[in-house]
Amino acid sequence: MRLLRNRSDLPLARDPSARFLSWITAVMVYLATLAFAGQMMVSDMAERWDSGLAGGVTVQVVPLVGPGASPVAERVETALAILRGTPGVVSATTLPAAETARLIEPWLGADAAADPHLPVPTVIDVVVEPGTDVAALGRRLDAAVPGSSLDDHAAWLADLRAFAGAVELAALAIVALVGGAGVMAVVFAVRTGLAIHRHVVELLHLMGATDRYVARQFESHVLGLCLGGGLAGLGLAAATLAGIHRASAGLRASLLPDFALTAAQWGLLAVVPLIACALAVATARLTVMRTLETMP
Amino acid sequence: MIRFENVGLRYGTGPEVLRDISFSLPPGSFHFLTGASGAGKSSLLKLMYLAHRPTRGLITLFDRDMASVPRTELPAMRRRIGVVFQDFQLLDHLSALDNVALPLRMAGAPEAEVVEQCAELLRWVGLGNHLDARPPTLSGGQQQRVAIARSVINRPRLLLADEPTGNVDDSIGMRLLYLFEELHKLGATVVIATHNEALIRRFDHPRLHLEHGQLHALPPHSARVAVSTGPR
Ligand SMILES: Nc1ncnc2c1ncn2[C@@H]1O[C@H](COP(=O)(O)OP(=O)(O)O)[C@@H](O)[C@H]1O
Ligand SMILES: [Mg+2]
């Protein structure tokens, strides 16, 4: 039994800094976990949109007015012929008029598509193989089919990628700040502990303790506190994420990510407190070793 | 084993509490260190157990010039020195057994061995029923025995004791000194600071006598008795 007893040569557990360090680790792990989770969700969302839009090209053919203008249907046929004759184009299908009407309905009203004065374009949904020269295709369509325009969503995708990148950067900054604050908290707690127990540390030295031996005492102390705090922080973060997921389930806006994480992602989040603990232990060790260097 | 050459020590900017200390203790010797309170006995022992570095002079310990020993090698040297501190310096939050075990655990001894050896030694000094007792619950004499057990547990080559029998009655004091004698017989060099005349008389060893920070070597008590007819 004596072997299993948690025994420390320094009475660190009674220090006021002990509880403080648990709390601060809980808060830090909570924030870092949420930042990571947010980053994962946004990058998932960006990826889904990306893969949904990449490879998809839309060609619009608008009705033209004036003399010599050929009817839309004629020009759509020309466009389809060009598209289907282009290597790399997998498919090119005209969106049914009903579908086009449904797409513009939220903006222009239910009767808009039927309004003869409204130049509702015909939309061709094109799927191309990756690597296809979409720009060249656009130029050929421009030349051959007046009133046509090609959109490969490049600008939209670039915006989306920039947004995901910015979120990633923000998450990284939060994690770095939280980590930095955590390191400072550990340094402070360990320095305080060394000052409070300076007498015992000196005594251990006189009995032949190495600096590593003293540092190990602090390491296991800090590890215990951080494990407890870190697990609490992770639990809190998990509860928060579950709450957000439930709240978002009621939303119909498909633009929002679905706030769900895969098992692998949960596994990654579970590593956060472990990394926090490793960081804390390394910090404790370094702080002790550097402080003791100045002792006789 | 130990050699001091013109060693001086001052605390901060204060006066020299030890002046021109020169002596040499051969391996396996046994000395009493005597002197009035404030004469510098504790300070001299602190130099020997490497708690302080001298302000001047040369200390040679275990054949090493201490001025040239780097800090990283001090722990290994200190592990060869057993110290009974004047005020015990037991750790109050540890049991008697864990206090005694400190030097062994620092040296990385296997845990089963540590517990067995410490329990045996504590039984030997009459504390077999107090293995798990914390120092504050022990009497002064019992604490002293824990401190002494801790100082000898790893069979030090050099054993230093600062008034180890101050708090115990003479019969226990004798018993404790026999423990030091045992280690002495095994080859340890022993220096005991004390002003217990009964002990000094009983154990016939040479004395180092401190007066106002300076050292005077005195022969063993028996020799002094033999020449005591003349003026000292
Ligand atoms: N840490 C210290 N700081 C300043 N002065 C000290 C310190 N320790 C001891 N002294 C002084 O050194 C002198 C010798 O003290 P000490 O070695 O404890 O003598 P002893 O053990 O013989 O009573 C005393 O005058 C004491 O006041
Ligand atoms: Mg003293």
Side-chain angles (χ1 to χ4, degrees):
Chain A
M1 275 302 99
R2 218 171 255 134
L3 280 170
L4 298 173
R5 193 165 55 197
N6 186 15
R7 177 193 54 81
S8 168
D9 296 348
L10 294 163
L12 294 168
R14 290 187 222 142
D15 287 2
S17 65
R19 206 178 307 152
F20 155 79
L21 205 56
S22 283
W23 275 106
I24 214 140
T25 318
V27 172
M28 309 246 146
V29 166
Y30 177 73
L31 291 176
T33 308
L34 287 188
F36 266 131
Q39 186 269 327
M40 283 172 178
M41 286 168 182
V42 169
S43 94
D44 272 7
M45 173 190 79
E47 208 160 276
R48 265 199 306 276
W49 286 354
D50 203 309
S51 62
L53 292 178
V57 175
T58 311
V59 176
Q60 288 187 32
V61 183
V62 291
L64 294 174
V65 286
S70 48
V72 175
E74 213 168 278
R75 283 178 291 122
V76 167
E77 280 312 312
T78 319
L80 281 175
I82 289 173
L83 286 167
R84 287 174 182 149
T86 305
V89 172
V90 178
S91 70
T93 41
T94 312
L95 222 58
E99 183 72 3
T100 313
R102 196 183 61 75
L103 282 175
I104 61 172
E105 184 196 309
W107 281 275
L108 300 176
D111 303 327
D115 188 340
H117 300 296
L118 200 67
V120 177
T122 302
V123 176
I124 305 171
D125 196 10
V126 186
V127 177
V128 297
E129 281 171 5
T132 308
D133 189 353
V134 176
L137 182 59
R139 283 193 298 275
R140 274 175 52 212
L141 279 175
D142 263 349
V145 186
S148 79
S149 65
L150 179 144
D151 178 14
D152 63 355
H153 317 298
W156 168 245
L157 275 178
D159 281 355
L160 184 66
R161 287 184 188 127
F163 169 67
V167 169
E168 204 151 303
L169 219 65
L172 213 69
I174 290 175
V175 169
L177 280 176
V178 161
V183 164
M184 283 192 283
V186 172
V187 168
F188 172 75
V190 167
R191 287 225 183 113
T192 310
L194 277 171
I196 294 176
H197 304 294
R198 187 181 178 97
H199 182 73
V200 180
V201 171
E202 275 171 1
L203 181 68
L204 295 178
H205 269 158
L206 288 183
M207 288 192 283
T210 56
D211 291 349
R212 272 302 286 123
Y213 181 88
V214 177
R216 267 199 299 276
Q217 312 265 327
F218 278 91
E219 285 167 34
S220 54
H221 170 66
V222 165
L223 179 63
L225 294 178
C226 287
L227 265 184
L231 290 180
L234 181 69
L236 229 61
T240 305
L241 289 172
I244 291 178
H245 179 60
R246 279 188 68 154
S248 77
L251 291 175
R252 251 171 305 167
S254 57
L255 277 177
L256 283 175
D258 65 358
F259 296 110
L261 292 171
T262 64
Q265 285 172 326
W266 278 115
L268 276 178
L269 290 183
V271 176
V272 171
L274 300 183
I275 292 173
C277 285
L279 187 67
V281 166
T283 305
R285 173 173 170 171
L286 219 70
T287 309
V288 174
M289 298 297 276
R290 289 187 58 171
T291 310
L292 291 188
E293 259 171 25
T294 61
M295 280 177 74
Chain B
M1 175 59 64
I2 307 182
R3 197 167 70 230
F4 276 49
E5 286 168 72
N6 299 315
V7 169
L9 175 71
R10 63 170 86 238
Y11 291 102
T13 54
E16 273 200 321
V17 298
L18 294 174
R19 271 174 294 142
D20 299 319
I21 306 281
S22 295
F23 65 88
S24 173
L25 304 184
S29 60
F30 195 126
H31 286 81
F32 285 117
L33 177 60
T34 56
S37 179
K41 301 184 295 296
S42 298
S43 301
L44 184 57
L45 288 178
K46 279 177 187 164
L47 287 176
M48 293 194 215
Y49 59 73
L50 310 177
H52 294 311
R53 292 202 184 240
T55 326
R56 61 189 176 87
L58 208 68
I59 296 179
T60 313
L61 187 61
F62 303 120
D63 296 322
R64 303 278 312 265
D65 169 10
M66 289 314 298
S68 68
V69 173
R71 188 177 174 278
T72 48
E73 287 178 31
L74 290 180
M77 293 191 78
R78 283 169 174 153
R79 268 182 236 147
R80 301 166 72 185
I81 307 171
V83 186
V84 183
F85 301 94
Q86 186 159 15
D87 36 6
F88 319 143
Q89 306 276 16
L90 298 175
L91 300 186
D92 287 349
H93 70 290
L94 295 183
S95 69
L97 189 137
D98 284 332
N99 265 286
V100 175
L102 282 171
L104 289 180
R105 289 193 170 126
M106 280 169 195
E111 191 58 29
E113 217 169 273
V114 168
V115 172
E116 190 193 304
Q117 284 186 25
C118 295
E120 188 190 323
L121 184 58
L122 280 170
R123 274 193 288 275
W124 200 89
V125 298
L127 291 174
N129 295 327
H130 301 279
L131 299 183
D132 288 321
R134 275 157 217 271
T137 68
L138 296 172
S139 74
Q142 288 172 325
Q143 291 185 25
Q144 208 146 24
R145 279 181 272 165
V146 175
I148 289 172
R150 185 178 67 185
S151 73
V152 300
I153 187 71
N154 59 347
R155 295 165 190 267
R157 302 299 303 146
L158 174 62
L159 185 61
L160 306 171
D162 199 347
E163 313 210 10
T165 58
N167 273 47
V168 295
D169 53 45
D170 278 356
S171 68
I172 295 177
M174 293 289 173
R175 195 180 154 87
L176 295 178
L177 268 208
Y178 279 119
L179 192 59
F180 293 146
E181 286 274 309
E182 287 298 318
L183 254 106
H184 177 228
K185 281 182 196 137
L186 291 174
T189 308
V190 182
V191 179
I192 298 176
T194 183
H195 33 230
N196 186 329
E197 283 295 330
L199 286 181
I200 296 170
R201 237 173 284 132
R202 173 71 178 267
F203 296 88
D204 205 27
H205 294 299
R207 288 166 71 168
L208 300 165
H209 187 72
L210 272 172
E211 236 175 89
H212 305 302
Q214 286 187 296
L215 194 68
H216 308 270
L218 295 180
H221 181 78
S222 54
R224 259 190 356 265
V225 171
V227 296
S228 64
T229 44
R232 272 212 288 138

